Amino acid sequence: MKPPHSPPTWATRLLRAFCAPHLLEEVQGDLEERFQRRVTLFGERVAGRQYAREVLGFLRPFALKRRPNDFSQPVSINSLMFQNHFKIAWRNLIRNKTFSAINVLGLALGMAASMLILLWVLDEWRIGKHHPNAERLYRIMENEIADGRIVTDEDTPGILANELKRVMPEVEYAANMVSVENVLTAGTVTTRQKGLYAGADWFRLYDVPMLAGTAQTANSAPGSIAISENIAKTYFGGAQRALGKTLRFDDWQDCQVTAVFADQPTNAPDQYDYVRNWQDFMRMEQWLTRWENSGPGTRVLLRPGADVANVNAKLKTFLKGRNKDINASFNIELFLQPETEAYLYSNFKNGQRDGGRIEYIRMFVGVALFLLLIAAINFMNLATARSAKRAREVGVRKVVGAGRASLVGQFMGETFLLAMLALGLAVITVAVALPDFNTLTEKQIALPLNTLESWALWLGLVLLVGGLAGSYPALFLSSLSPVRVLKSAVRFGPGTQRFRQGLVVFQFVLSLVMIVGTLVIYQQLRYIQQKNLGFNRSNLLRITREGALIHQYPLFKERLSRMPGVESVTFLKTNPLYNGNTTDGASWPGKDPTVAIQFNNTSVGYNFVETMGLKLLQGRDFSPAFGTDSSNYLINEAAAKRMGFANPVGKPLTFWQRPGTIVGLLKNFHFNSLHVAVRPIIIQLKPAKQPEGGVILVRTAPGQTEQALRSTETLYREMNPKFPFSYAFVDDDFAQQYRSETIVGTLASGFAGLAIFIACLGLFGLATFTTEQRTKEIGVRKVLGASVASIVTLLSKDFLKLVLVAIVIASPLAYYVMQRWLADFAYRIDLEWWMFAGAGLLAVSIALLTVSFQSIKAALMNPVKSLRSE
Amino acid sequence: MPMAGRTFFYKTESNPETMRRTYLGEFEEIVLLTVAVLGEGAYGVAIADELESQTGRAVSLSAVHAALHRLEEKGMLKSRLGEATAERGGRRKRLFAVTVLGTRTLSDIRAVRNRLWEAISPQTLPAFGI
């Protein structure tokens, strides 16, 4: 008889689930008895609640623990069994040398490549994070909103740091900074070095270790300088001996060494070997004391626990009221960028973070996973394809009592064994390849073998690869029914074969995407390298106008122009390949006064158009023949369009309050990287007599570069003897500008090659296996008169089909991915059908070659041999 | 069921000099006593009820079961399955009885307590209302 009331079903079900079976009856009985009594005492609801609470009370070890079974159970961790598993694994490895080699080699290559990528990614990841206070360090960035565009950069007013520290309680330290390059002299030593002008908080902000002097006073006084250990050694023979010594700057200013700091790590985002006093810089650049002008960077250290969102909110309107230029059509908003993100997330679009090097990290992590997957798939495919050979073993093991778990353990163990072997090989490969890899990527990565962390990482790699590769074969093999596999020869249904084919297709899809990617990257790089920049960048020599040349440039130009090998000489204030100067200080009749139109600008010397090899569309270059040229301007097509002049020559233009006339219209040329479109530029003449630092450009006669270089050096040494002569060719600068793209291109091609190689290793293995299986069939076919060609076709056809399917799947995928990569270039190639066709053709021919090796061998075999033995 | 290992226990305990009786927690001791009190009808619910009425504390079934389980493992209780009743949903109850070891342990505890009580001089303990 069932009592009218019953306890909550879910509680009973729960109890049944967790309570040990041998206790269940008494426990459930007691609970039920109590429940029934409580129903009569308190009602069903209360009784039910208490019942549930009592059930939960039984969640104790004694109730959970199962009584050992009366039947003995196979123990998976049994040393004898383990030895047997190990022995069988080893024998299998040795007996099938080809397949073992393919597996180990594929896994090792995949692992080695992903280890390299992992090391590279970790190195990139750590950049900017080595500072003890990294989490509280920020860079102040600005969004310049004008002319319907937002330009984001690190340029801030030179007085921002002090003001921030004064008015914002959240700011613990703040320092402005500017990167410079100077010639330093002490005694007989003269070298060119990279350094900073920075606020007095700099060393406390970044917590740079000091070897001599203190962080507080390192660069706090005008005329003081803090130098790196490296410089201290080069110039003075040690940190302590450097203290109080004098360093001469650009043969012009003397600075006293007040501190020596530890060398910056080679992967630090800011590379500098000396830090000078900020007031010294501001005294030279008076214009930066105005809030309206921006240029230097600003770095801050927030106090622990500071509310970043709140600081950002205050920064957004910080310049309002300070910068008098801000109005309805022009605004500058400041915001914080964490120092830890500055390196990886350097791109901004419309004021929003828009990737940067992080994209390469993502891309290469993807590539590493692809390579591991491809290698793991090889293993899976070969293991399942050849499972017929292991099926008997599985059957026998099951008959004598092996459980599924122990079989899974056995096969997984075998995979891990193989993965460990592969890891060993991979570590050796990485150790061998690392120096070249470092040269290629311009890094100094070491293979960390002595840290626990790295071993954990490698072990993780083994587990990942072993798990990926081993789980499917282990589950598949252990699922075989002993009756079926022992009764007759094992035949697998079309399901497993289709799965295998799917995996092969997947492998080739991945490889194809990578091949297309490589092709596109190379095409884009070639396009960039061959792109007409609008000026002639070959045979163009660049030297810095410094030292005596600042004042004696006219004489230098005059003498150099007459020397052998030199065609013409000019001066340019900015680097010919990078112009970051923008201003809205231009006006012309008809300009809408409420719109702040931004122009790039620079100043140049005479013979600018000729030396650069620019094309004048209208008007003329600056010329000494016209005395008034110092208030005249050259503009480019983009500027003319922006101003709305169809024929700009002769039109008046007022630039920085100086009224003048446009004398020449230049065809658009690139003065920034090809990532950005050509923008409007206004070029003014810097009168030769006016001292100015910048770049001297020397156009050399074709084929006489050597001679021109010698001429330049001779003259330079004569006229500027205190400075070391250094030069660069503009086309080298140009190549350097696309260095990261070039590196990525080289890496991508290497990894794509590796991917297709590993995939083909697997294909080779599968082909070997199928031909082995069909030896008899081929023999019979040959006896009946089949030709070699028909047999090769028969054997290759199936594999080719898979590759073709892969091409169909991979093409749109690759199209999407590469379209996104190309979107980052303002000037780019179009994706064309032949890139996909080319990659496909490559994959097909490589696959065909791989397979044909086996199929031709099989087709040429003497049928007598293959049919004789049974 | 007590296992073979228990014999070893009896042997060591028979030596009064080195005798170390098995440790009993307070709750275990009370459960053991209650089983003795209930005699033939000692099973989970009855023990819990008796405990509640004797001590005035709410006692959860799981705590009682856990204690019974431990005591049986220690060899102080033995058990058998009894008859099924309707209010238990037709399930049998497990009836417990105190073993020789259990009896001895209880009397050991009692002896220790008695000795201690006798050692207390009447003036030491502060009087409380009678």
Side-chain angles (χ1 to χ4, degrees):
Chain A
M1 187 196 88
K2 196 177 156 50
H5 303 286
S6 56
T9 349
W10 67 268
T12 314
R13 211 172 285 158
L14 179 73
L15 182 72
R16 268 196 216 122
F18 73 74
C19 187
H22 68 282
L23 295 175
L24 189 62
E25 184 175 356
E26 50 192 283
V27 168
Q28 220 182 336
D30 279 3
L31 282 170
E32 173 105 21
E33 188 179 334
R34 256 203 163 180
F35 169 78
Q36 295 302 345
R37 200 173 61 227
R38 279 178 178 153
V39 169
T40 56
L41 287 175
F42 314 114
E44 187 164 358
R45 256 170 45 109
V46 177
R49 228 176 17 241
Q50 290 186 344
Y51 176 87
R53 199 176 310 139
E54 295 250 40
V55 165
L56 292 179
F58 274 96
L59 276 168
R60 294 169 178 241
F62 90 93
L64 297 173
K65 202 171 153 198
R66 266 52 177 174
R67 194 151 58 173
N69 205 320
D70 283 343
F71 305 102
S72 77
Q73 279 188 325
V75 185
S76 46
I77 309 196
N78 173 317
S79 69
L80 258 178
M81 217 50 217
F82 195 72
Q83 272 176 26
N84 176 271
H85 286 166
F86 196 80
K87 190 185 282 175
I88 297 294
W90 187 249
R91 282 180 184 165
N92 265 311
L93 210 66
I94 295 301
R95 197 173 60 185
N96 307 299
K97 287 198 183 66
T98 323
F99 296 111
S100 310
I102 288 173
N103 276 334
V104 174
L105 190 65
L107 285 180
L109 282 177
M111 279 169 140
S114 26
M115 277 161 84
L116 282 178
I117 292 174
L118 203 66
L119 288 172
W120 179 79
V121 166
L122 281 179
D123 191 81
E124 288 272 295
W125 193 255
R126 290 199 186 112
I127 291 179
K129 299 187 175 80
H130 65 279
H131 304 291
N133 305 326
E135 294 311 310
R136 292 189 285 131
L137 280 172
Y138 293 87
R139 298 180 177 197
I140 307 276
M141 308 283 290
E142 66 167 43
N143 278 331
E144 208 176 279
I145 307 156
D147 206 7
R149 217 175 43 182
I150 303 178
V151 178
T152 307
D153 54 36
E154 259 194 86
D155 301 350
T156 56
I159 44 177
L160 180 63
N162 283 339
E163 184 73 357
L164 282 178
K165 219 177 141 181
R166 195 174 65 83
V167 302
M168 277 209 202
E170 292 94 337
V171 174
E172 187 172 353
Y173 293 118
N176 278 110
M177 54 86 72
V178 172
S179 294
V180 287
E181 208 178 296
N182 294 98
V183 172
L184 274 59
T185 313
T188 54
V189 191
T190 297
T191 56
R192 197 182 298 275
Q193 299 286 352
K194 283 185 175 148
L196 301 177
Y197 283 93
D201 279 354
W202 182 265
F203 289 100
R204 279 172 290 174
L205 199 139
Y206 280 103
D207 206 0
V208 180
M210 307 303 282
L211 303 176
T214 64
Q216 281 87 335
T217 57
N219 61 333
S220 57
S224 65
I225 182 175
I227 57 175
S228 70
E229 188 185 4
N230 179 21
I231 292 216
K233 275 192 188 138
T234 319
Y235 284 84
F236 308 108
Q240 292 306 328
R241 291 166 64 179
L243 227 49
K245 295 271 173 40
T246 302
L247 263 176
R248 197 165 174 79
F249 261 76
D250 288 346
D251 195 32
W252 169 49
Q253 283 174 312
D254 283 326
C255 291
Q256 202 169 38
V257 177
T258 40
V260 178
F261 57 88
D263 289 336
Q264 290 293 296
T266 48
N267 63 355
D270 295 308
Q271 288 294 331
Y272 54 90
D273 269 308
Y274 58 85
V275 178
R276 286 194 58 184
N277 174 267
W278 186 246
Q279 283 102 347
D280 284 350
F281 179 75
M282 292 299 273
R283 206 168 302 122
M284 291 187 295
E285 310 283 343
Q286 288 286 338
W287 60 286
L288 280 172
T289 53
R290 285 166 43 85
W291 281 107
E292 288 74 21
N293 294 326
S294 298
T298 305
R299 310 287 172 85
V300 296
L301 179 73
L302 296 188
R303 289 188 195 283
D307 182 0
V308 178
N310 188 24
V311 175
N312 262 325
K314 283 196 265 181
L315 280 175
K316 192 168 180 178
T317 54
F318 194 80
L319 291 181
K320 226 169 230 165
R322 291 186 169 88
N323 182 337
K324 302 284 182 292
D325 286 350
I326 290 181
N327 56 36
S329 65
F330 177 79
N331 192 13
I332 299 180
E333 295 176 352
L334 301 179
F335 64 97
L336 297 171
Q337 181 176 38
E339 177 76 30
T340 50
E341 287 179 7
Y343 177 73
L344 290 179
Y345 300 87
S346 55
N347 292 359
F348 287 84
K349 200 171 173 182
N350 292 323
Q352 298 296 316
R353 209 171 71 176
D354 186 44
R357 289 190 73 88
I358 188 74
E359 279 165 18
Y360 287 133
I361 289 201
R362 288 194 193 121
M363 185 167 140
F364 278 110
V365 167
V367 167
L369 283 178
F370 282 4
L371 287 171
L372 285 182
L373 252 174
I374 293 175
I377 288 174
N378 276 354
F379 183 89
M380 278 157 82
N381 271 347
L382 287 181
T384 48
R386 299 177 50 254
S387 54
K389 307 221 165 191
R390 299 293 298 268
R392 290 267 149 83
E393 180 194 336
V394 172
V396 170
R397 279 187 192 273
K398 279 200 168 176
V399 165
V400 296
R404 176 123 194 228
S406 102
L407 281 170
V408 169
Q410 181 194 345
F411 290 119
M412 287 301 282
E414 278 184 26
T415 318
F416 285 127
L417 192 74
L418 217 66
M420 287 297 270
L421 264 174
L423 178 75
L425 263 178
V427 170
I428 295 170
T429 315
V430 169
V432 171
L434 205 51
D436 287 331
F437 186 73
N438 276 336
T439 321
L440 179 66
T441 54
E442 290 163 1
K443 287 199 177 281
Q444 293 176 346
I445 303 170
L447 183 62
L449 286 177
N450 49 357
T451 61
L452 202 66
E453 188 195 13
S454 62
W455 280 106
L457 224 60
W458 307 148
L459 208 68
L461 201 62
V462 168
L463 287 179
L464 178 76
V465 171
L468 262 176
S471 50
Y472 175 67
L475 291 174
F476 176 77
L477 279 169
S478 62
S479 72
L480 298 174
S481 133
V483 177
R484 240 190 55 187
V485 296
L486 291 178
K487 196 173 67 184
S488 60
V490 195
R491 283 257 158 256
F492 296 116
T496 47
Q497 202 186 339
R498 213 162 292 142
F499 184 73
R500 217 148 51 220
Q501 288 175 339
L503 288 178
V504 171
V505 169
F506 184 63
Q507 279 184 312
F508 272 86
V509 167
L510 294 185
S511 315
L512 274 164
V513 169
M514 287 166 75
I515 293 174
V516 173
T518 312
L519 265 173
V520 172
I521 292 175
Y522 264 94
Q523 284 300 316
Q524 173 68 15
L525 283 176
R526 228 175 64 140
Y527 170 78
I528 287 175
Q529 273 148 17
Q530 292 174 355
K531 170 131 182 82
N532 184 358
L533 294 181
F535 70 91
N536 186 358
R537 65 183 146 89
S538 45
N539 299 324
L540 197 56
L541 194 65
R542 171 177 70 84
I543 57 177
T544 311
R545 181 173 169 186
E546 59 190 347
L549 293 186
I550 289 179
H551 291 277
Q552 297 182 352
Y553 166 72
L555 181 62
F556 181 76
K557 171 188 155 73
E558 158 116 31
R559 288 182 62 187
L560 187 59
S561 302
R562 279 187 273 116
M563 290 182 87
V566 176
E567 282 191 343
S568 66
V569 179
T570 194
F571 163 77
L572 181 59
K573 181 161 173 55
T574 49
N575 186 301
L577 294 169
Y578 177 75
N579 181 321
N581 293 355
T582 58
T583 178
D584 58 351
S587 63
W588 57 92
K591 184 195 176 217
D592 178 356
T594 59
V595 182
I597 299 176
Q598 297 288 314
F599 289 93
N600 283 72
N601 63 85
T602 190
S603 38
V604 299
Y606 290 119
N607 299 94
F608 173 66
V609 174
E610 180 195 350
T611 312
M612 285 281 282
L614 292 165
K615 195 160 179 238
L616 258 177
L617 294 176
Q618 290 176 6
R620 57 169 179 87
D621 190 4
F622 297 121
S623 159
F626 298 81
T628 55
D629 263 358
S630 59
S631 59
N632 287 342
Y633 304 102
L634 290 173
I635 61 170
N636 67 352
E637 285 174 293
K641 200 174 156 205
R642 202 74 190 77
M643 294 172 184
F645 293 149
N647 294 300
V649 171
K651 296 271 175 13
L653 175 69
T654 303
F655 187 69
W656 284 343
Q657 277 90 44
R658 250 180 359 168
T661 312
I662 300 168
V663 294
L665 173 65
L666 294 167
K667 192 171 165 42
N668 274 347
F669 65 101
H670 289 273
F671 47 84
N672 271 321
S673 93
L674 294 171
H675 285 285
V676 293
V678 175
R679 302 222 285 246
I681 189 167
I682 296 174
I683 300 164
Q684 55 176 333
L685 177 71
K686 191 55 82 169
K689 284 180 268 319
Q690 208 166 318
E692 176 87 74
V695 174
I696 296 171
L697 294 172
V698 182
R699 166 71 57 198
T700 66
Q704 297 182 43
T705 312
E706 284 289 312
Q707 215 171 353
L709 196 54
R710 261 202 310 278
S711 306
T712 313
E713 181 167 4
T714 318
L715 187 63
Y716 187 96
R717 288 207 189 288
E718 183 197 322
M719 291 187 63
N720 199 18
K722 295 277 179 60
F723 282 67
F725 177 67
S726 62
Y727 65 95
F729 287 101
V730 173
D731 46 6
D732 290 341
D733 290 346
F734 181 76
Q736 193 61 36
Q737 205 165 20
Y738 303 98
R739 190 79 197 117
S740 64
E741 281 87 356
T742 314
I743 291 173
V744 166
T746 317
L747 286 179
S749 66
F751 290 131
L754 208 57
I756 191 89
F757 179 74
I758 300 174
C760 282
L761 265 183
L763 206 58
F764 182 79
L766 280 182
T768 312
F769 172 72
T770 39
T771 37
E772 210 173 79
Q773 269 201 327
R774 296 170 81 172
T775 315
K776 289 249 155 67
E777 181 196 332
I778 293 163
V780 172
R781 278 176 189 275
K782 282 197 81 170
V783 167
L784 294 178
S787 68
V788 171
S790 71
I791 286 175
V792 172
T793 319
L794 175 82
L795 289 172
S796 313
K797 202 173 58 192
D798 291 343
F799 291 109
L800 270 189
K801 253 190 259 166
L802 300 183
V803 179
L804 289 176
V805 172
I807 293 174
V808 171
I809 298 175
S811 297
L813 212 68
Y815 181 85
Y816 171 75
V817 174
M818 291 327 288
Q819 197 70 49
R820 281 197 50 179
W821 184 77
L822 282 175
D824 204 24
F825 290 89
Y827 299 89
R828 55 179 179 253
I829 52 165
D830 290 320
L831 289 175
E832 283 176 72
W833 65 271
W834 65 262
M835 295 172 191
F836 303 93
L841 198 68
L842 187 72
V844 167
S845 34
I846 293 178
L848 207 60
L849 235 123
T850 314
V851 176
S852 63
F853 179 76
Q854 282 300 327
S855 50
I856 290 174
K857 202 170 93 178
L860 289 176
M861 208 180 200
N862 188 346
V864 174
K865 265 191 194 155
S866 53
L867 291 176
R868 188 176 52 192
S869 60
E870 185 54 46
Chain B
M1 236 191 72
M3 303 287 162
R6 302 291 167 202
T7 15
F8 181 66
F9 254 121
Y10 292 105
K11 275 180 188 161
T12 45
E13 278 193 32
S14 63
N15 182 348
E17 294 307 312
T18 59
M19 184 193 83
R20 302 238 359 236
R21 69 176 175 80
T22 315
Y23 173 77
L24 273 193
E26 191 241 359
F27 190 69
E28 284 175 354
E29 186 187 338
I30 294 180
V31 169
L32 192 56
L33 281 168
T34 314
V35 171
V37 169
L38 290 173
E40 283 295 300
Y43 71 101
V45 177
I47 295 167
D49 289 348
E50 180 68 18
L51 274 174
E52 277 183 2
S53 67
Q54 290 285 348
T55 63
R57 307 194 288 222
V59 179
S60 78
L61 271 178
S62 53
V64 173
H65 273 264
L68 289 170
H69 191 79
R70 260 195 319 273
L71 286 167
E72 192 173 8
E73 268 189 345
K74 287 176 181 173
M76 303 198 199
L77 286 177
K78 57 187 178 192
S79 70
R80 63 182 175 86
L81 284 172
E83 79 285 7
T85 60
E87 73 261 26
R88 297 175 60 85
R91 297 184 186 88
R92 292 172 295 174
K93 32 177 106 151
R94 184 168 290 278
L95 294 165
F96 289 89
V98 182
T99 60
V100 180
L101 174 64
T103 317
R104 187 187 299 213
T105 311
L106 280 177
S107 65
D108 281 347
I109 293 171
R110 187 179 186 177
V112 170
R113 300 258 155 97
N114 285 344
R115 269 206 304 282
L116 284 171
W117 275 108
E118 279 154 21
I120 300 172
S121 62
Q123 299 87 354
T124 333
L125 291 174
F128 59 99
I130 292 178

